[in-house]
Amino acid sequence: MKNKKLLIALVAILAVAVLVLSSCQKTEEKAKEAAAAVEEKAEEVKEEVKEEAAEAAEKVEEKVEEVKEEAAAAVDTAKEEVAEAAEKAEEKVEEVKEEVKEEAAEVAEKVEEAVDTAKEEAAAAVETAKEEVAEAAEKVEEKVEDVKEEAAEAVAAATVMSHDEYVKADLDTPVCIEAYVQANQSWWEGKIKLYLQDENGAYFAYDLPCTEEDAAKLAVPGTKVRINGMKAEWSGEVEIIDATYEILEGSFIAEPADVTDLFGKDELINHMNEKIAVKDAKVAASKVDGKDEEFAFLYNWDGSGTPGSDLYFNVEIGGQTYTFTVESYLCGQDTDVYKAVEGLKVGDTIDMEGFLYWYNGANPHITSVTVK
Amino acid sequence: MKKKLSFILLLILILPLLASCHGKQKSIGFAVPDHFDDQAPVEIVFWAKNDTNRNQVAVYQKAIEGFQTLYPNVTVNIRLYTDYGRIYNDVITNISTNTTPNVCITYPDHIATYLTGADTVAPLDDLMADPRFGLGGSEVRFDAPKTEEIVPEFLQECRIGEHTYAMPYMRSTEALYVNEDYVKKLGYELPEIMTWDFIWEVSEKAMEQDADGVFKVNGQKVMIPFIYKSTDNMMISMLKQLDAPYSTDDGEILIFNDTTKEVLQEIYSHGKSRAFSTFGISSYPGNFLNAGQCIFAIDSTAGATWMGSDAPMLDIHEEQVVPFHTKVMPIPQFDPEHPKMISQGPSVCVFNKQNDQEVLASWLFVQYLLTNEIQMGYAETEGYLPVTLKAQNSAEYQDYLSRKGEDNKEHYAVKIEASELLMKYTADTFVTPVFNGSASLRSAAGQLIENTVKGARRKQEMNDAFIDKLFSEVSSLYRLDQIGKAAKGSGEEAGVKEAKELPTESVALLIIVPCVWLLIGAYKLWNKKKTNIHH
């Protein structure tokens, strides 16, 4: 039994050895094959390397050629740039030359201008001097004129004007008149307003400064006065303002001028401030804003006043309506004319006397009314 | 002989004492009575001012009727004026006879003069604060405004010294009414706020005439480009805008200074060219404006109903009116960023009387004038502004303003724009110091301009001599030198600061008393010596 096992083992070992030998033989063959393949491969690689090396060498050569070409181009470009720069430099030099020439020309021109300016200034200075002399002469002439005017004004102030001269005198110039008081508006704050007239025409002295004592004298109708003042116009009313006065000997009461037919005509203004009469005027209705009621007269122009205020009433003359006034400072509440107007009725026919005051047109201040 | 000498010496001692008592009484003010007697008849006299405007008269009458209905035992008798100056003069006249009215429309300047008589005008402080009869008090029978409902700036204007002596009644300022068409025709556009330079430049430009003397801008022979109604206000406003001296609060006169001189020189040049004139020299600015003969017219906002070609009030013939667009602007300024314009308009004061029921009734009537109905009623007659915030903010008043231009009467656009102008610029308004004589100083300020323009028109030369003469004449005319002196000695009477110097009587007394004692001593010595000689 034991030998059987041993035999089997030996057989097995032999078998394994055979197998191993067989295997080694195969391996050796494979190794030989592999070595051959390696060699083949090596040959291939060698060929490839050779080819690549050849290609690389070719590329290097090409690159060298390129670089050479670029270098040559760069050299050309540089040459061109240098040439251009040289050209520009030449141009610049030319430009600078031109500029220098121009500047030199300008400077020369300026010098010439300066010379001209100097000449002109000198001429202007001469001219100015001449003008100044002329102006000075003119001023002297003006001064002489002023002095003459002042002298004339002084003469005017000292010389009594006729009514015609007074009418012709400019506004804002001194005037001197002698006339007779016809009426006055009450003395107030040391001043009085006088309606004055002489045989040739009328005047109005506005706010003549005077004492209360003198006011009483001036208030006497007919009193002769000399008035020195300035001619002025206020809302169309020509008057003497900033005046002084001297009471003189003499007396004159003017007769009222009938101006009925002059209403609505330009000639009416020639009678400004005169004592006037208006005949056969018809009392027309006055109205108050917002009321239908008709009034023969109003206290104040719009009816806002009370007894004692100025009276306003309308009259028809020649088909036209005009507004007349009872000026309360001329004829107060207690006067006959004031009461008479308060008693008027629309449609009454009346004769009136008064003074032809002016306020943006004729605005007679009435001193008497007679109902026909 | 001895007795006679003693008597003379005694007389010397007593006379100054008597003199110092004369003419001055100690102020006792006014004590509010503890009740209002509504049974005993009370009659009060009310002196009122209207702008020759019957609508204003109607509001006064309505106020009286309304008040008398609430207080049947009180009768209010009204006396109408159209001129503050006349009221002032009449009050002064009546103070001496103790016949002043009970209630009076006035200006604080005038009250300062009334106060020279002790207790002439009732101080209103206690009346205002009284819980029963004060402003909006529990026993007031109508809806009166409370103190805080009165525009503070306007109430402040009624304070003189330490007391309130009046209630504001209406307020206005000045407005510049412009013919905008002519300004454009001259090649200019109106700025939002006009400067003095602009108005002078355009005014001079408007003076160009053709060979026939016709003005190019209006095609007429008359053109006064710029007319100022109140030259008092013109000078005051210009000085205020330039922050230049005018007067101190206690009445020292400072108006005659270099700035005034420069202002006058400028005005002179435009007076000379006739580009500028005044109401005093030419007439109402509105008349020229409406006739197309003026471009810039400065007048009160309370005269707005007369301004513009569609104005409801007209003082020239209709055919003379030239149509144009009216622009309402603040007055010209030196510094448009900080505009300044005057606050003006009537206030109302109560005169002190022996019968305290009369004074109380008067005070109640004054309060009635501050009710919404009266405030709005009167304000809407012109370009006035109600003095109470209660009225200004009321729905009715706001509705009135919103209807601007609906018609040319009640809602005349220029009138409402004038009211809006003051409402917008209330915080920019000012008043001048009030003292005894401040009214004269106001007049003098205007006279400086009037005389300068007259001088220019009369070809007088403008130079230092002209100015010196002008200052001297105006100072003398309005006695400003005396006011300046009085300001230092009578501040207490004027309701302003106390006097810094002793009254003349006191000075005399201080000199005389020691002299008398010296004389007595000398006499004693002489007598003794004489006795010794005899012995």
Side-chain angles (χ1 to χ4, degrees), chain A residues 310-352:
Chain A
D310 292 348
L311 299 178
Y312 286 76
F313 61 103
N314 291 330
V315 294
E316 268 183 33
I317 304 169
Q320 295 292 316
T321 304
Y322 301 93
T323 302
F324 283 54
T325 304
V326 178
E327 163 65 56
S328 58
Y329 297 139
L330 172 64
C331 297
Q333 196 177 357
D334 298 329
T335 59
D336 290 342
V337 65
Y338 198 99
K339 291 172 188 167
V341 171
E342 282 181 309
L344 289 179
K345 294 179 186 65
V346 175
D348 281 351
T349 300
I350 56 174
D351 288 346
M352 294 174 285

Side-chain angles (χ1 to χ4, degrees), chain A residues 30-83:
Chain A
K30 279 183 183 176
K32 283 178 182 173
E33 283 173 12
V38 167
E39 277 180 17
E40 200 177 333
K41 195 68 187 178
E43 282 304 313
E44 279 177 15
V45 169
K46 276 181 185 174
E47 281 304 311
E48 280 175 11
V49 167
K50 278 181 184 174
E51 281 173 16
E52 282 176 8
E55 277 176 19
E58 199 175 342
K59 280 182 183 171
V60 166
E61 279 176 16
E62 281 173 9
K63 197 68 190 175
V64 168
E65 283 306 311
E66 276 177 20
V67 168
K68 280 181 181 173
E69 280 172 16
E70 282 175 8
V75 169
D76 289 344
T77 308
K79 281 180 181 171
E80 281 170 14
E81 283 175 359
V82 167

Side-chain angles (χ1 to χ4, degrees), chain A residues 234-235 242 288 302 359, chain B residues 54 86 279 283 315 454 458:
Chain A
W234 197 88
S235 277
D242 298 334
V288 166
D302 67 340
Y359 178 74
Chain B
R54 60 180 307 279
R86 294 268 169 181
F279 160 74
S283 188
D315 208 16
K454 278 183 189 172
R458 294 171 188 172

Side-chain angles (χ1 to χ4, degrees), chain A residues 143 149 172 188-189 230 233-235 241-242 288-289 291 300-304 306 329 359-361, chain B residues 52-54 57 80 86 89 274 279-284 287 306 313 315 317 409 454 457-458 461:
Chain A
K143 199 73 193 169
E149 269 180 32
D172 299 309
W188 167 252
E189 291 185 329
M230 301 297 292
E233 182 182 339
W234 197 88
S235 277
I241 64 170
D242 298 334
V288 166
D289 198 24
K291 283 189 177 180
N300 281 346
W301 68 275
D302 67 340
S304 63
T306 51
Y329 297 139
Y359 178 74
N360 296 328
Chain B
T52 319
N53 183 321
R54 60 180 307 279
V57 175
L80 285 167
R86 294 268 169 181
N89 276 284
R274 308 282 175 126
F279 160 74
I281 291 170
S282 295
S283 188
Y284 290 94
N287 290 348
W306 299 86
M313 304 287 206
D315 208 16
H317 297 293
K409 284 188 177 283
K454 278 183 189 172
R457 295 165 74 101
R458 294 171 188 172
E461 203 172 332

Side-chain angles (χ1 to χ4, degrees), chain A residues 105-217:
Chain A
E106 275 175 19
V107 168
E109 202 175 333
K110 277 180 186 170
V111 169
E112 279 177 19
E113 277 175 12
V115 170
D116 289 344
T117 309
K119 283 180 183 172
E120 280 170 15
E121 280 176 0
V126 171
E127 206 56 40
T128 308
K130 281 181 185 172
E131 278 171 16
E132 279 174 2
V133 169
E135 270 177 27
E138 201 174 334
K139 275 183 186 168
V140 168
E141 278 176 21
E142 275 176 17
K143 199 73 193 169
V144 170
E145 283 304 310
D146 286 348
V147 170
K148 277 184 186 172
E149 269 180 32
E150 279 170 21
E153 284 173 3
V155 170
T159 310
V160 178
M161 295 173 157
S162 67
H163 185 266
D164 192 40
E165 287 169 330
Y166 170 78
V167 170
K168 286 176 183 165
D170 289 334
L171 294 174
D172 299 309
T173 60
V175 289
C176 175
I177 57 120
E178 282 182 6
Y180 303 85
V181 176
Q182 303 301 308
N184 74 94
Q185 287 184 26
S186 55
W187 185 77
W188 167 252
E189 291 185 329
K191 293 166 189 165
I192 195 167
K193 298 176 181 70
L194 298 176
Y195 300 83
L196 300 157
Q197 197 160 336
D198 61 19
E199 291 81 352
N200 301 307
Y203 316 85
F204 186 73
Y206 177 80
D207 274 357
L208 183 68
C210 66
T211 62
E212 191 168 13
E213 189 185 359
D214 269 6
K217 295 176 190 167

Side-chain angles (χ1 to χ4, degrees), chain B residues 458-493:
Chain B
R458 294 171 188 172
K459 297 177 183 169
Q460 291 171 11
E461 203 172 332
M462 167 55 80
N463 50 32
D464 287 345
F466 178 92
I467 292 288
D468 291 345
K469 185 165 175 272
L470 177 66
F471 282 4
S472 169
E473 283 175 354
V474 171
S475 177
S476 168
L477 182 64
Y478 293 96
R479 299 186 174 94
L480 296 187
D481 48 346
Q482 292 173 35
I483 291 168
K485 284 175 194 166
K488 292 177 181 172
S490 61
E492 196 177 354
E493 292 95 321

Side-chain angles (χ1 to χ4, degrees), chain A residues 13 24 65-66 82 109 131 178 239 270 275 284 295 367:
Chain A
I13 290 165
C24 285
E65 283 306 311
E66 276 177 20
V82 167
E109 202 175 333
E131 278 171 16
E178 282 182 6
E239 56 198 16
N270 298 330
K275 189 184 276 187
F295 301 90
T367 54

